[in-house]
Amino acid sequence: MTETTKRPARRTDRTAAVVAEVKAARKVLGDEPMPLTGGQRPAKGRAHHQRESNRWQSIEMSRRLAATPGWDSTILAAAFGALAKDEAQHVRGGLIHLAALAVAAVESIDQEAA
C-alpha cells in the first residue's frame, strides 16, 4: 500500500488575478483603431509629453530622496515618457512598462486591503 502525500494548496498568483481583471476590462474597450499620438500636431504633443515626463521624473526623484515615494509620480512619469517616444517600438516598450507598473500598483492596493 502506497501512501500519498497531500500537496499544499496553491496560492493564487496575485499578478495573474490582476491580469485577468485587465483582460476583462480590455474586452470592454473594443478594437477602435486610433493613432498613438492624436491631434493636429503630434510632434507638439510628444514634446508636451516629454516635458511632463521630465517634471514627474523630478517629482519622483525628490520623493524617493525624501523617502516618500508614491505610485502616482512613478506611473505618470512612465506614461508621459512612453507617449513622448518617436518610434512605435519604443512607445510599445514604454506602454508595457506602464502596464507592469499599473499591475504592481493594483497589487499594492490589494495587499493593503488584505
Side-chain angles (χ1 to χ4, degrees):
M1 181 180 224
T2 56
E3 196 173 309
T4 59
T5 57
K6 195 172 187 179
R7 291 184 187 172
R10 285 183 117 187
R11 255 184 359 143
T12 304
D13 181 13
R14 292 183 316 192
T15 301
V18 174
V19 170
E21 288 183 66
V22 171
K23 282 183 177 181
R26 172 62 184 95
K27 285 181 182 179
V28 173
L29 294 177
D31 291 327
E32 180 182 346
M34 195 178 312
L36 290 172
T37 307
Q40 298 295 321
R41 298 184 197 110
K44 189 173 181 180
R46 283 191 300 274
H48 167 76
H49 296 325
Q50 186 60 59
R51 287 189 304 275
E52 287 299 304
S53 175
N54 293 342
R55 184 171 79 90
W56 281 104
Q57 285 176 7
S58 176
I59 291 168
E60 179 182 18
M61 181 59 70
S62 296
R63 287 177 171 186
R64 288 194 184 278
L65 291 173
T68 58
W71 282 113
D72 56 347
S73 60
T74 302
I75 288 172
L76 287 169
F80 283 115
L83 296 172
K85 306 292 184 204
D86 287 335
E87 296 181 28
Q89 71 268 18
H90 293 136
V91 175
R92 184 183 188 286
L95 291 174
I96 294 293
H97 178 70
L98 177 60
L101 290 172
V103 168
V106 170
E107 289 174 354
S108 180
I109 291 168
D110 293 348
Q111 191 172 12
E112 287 178 14

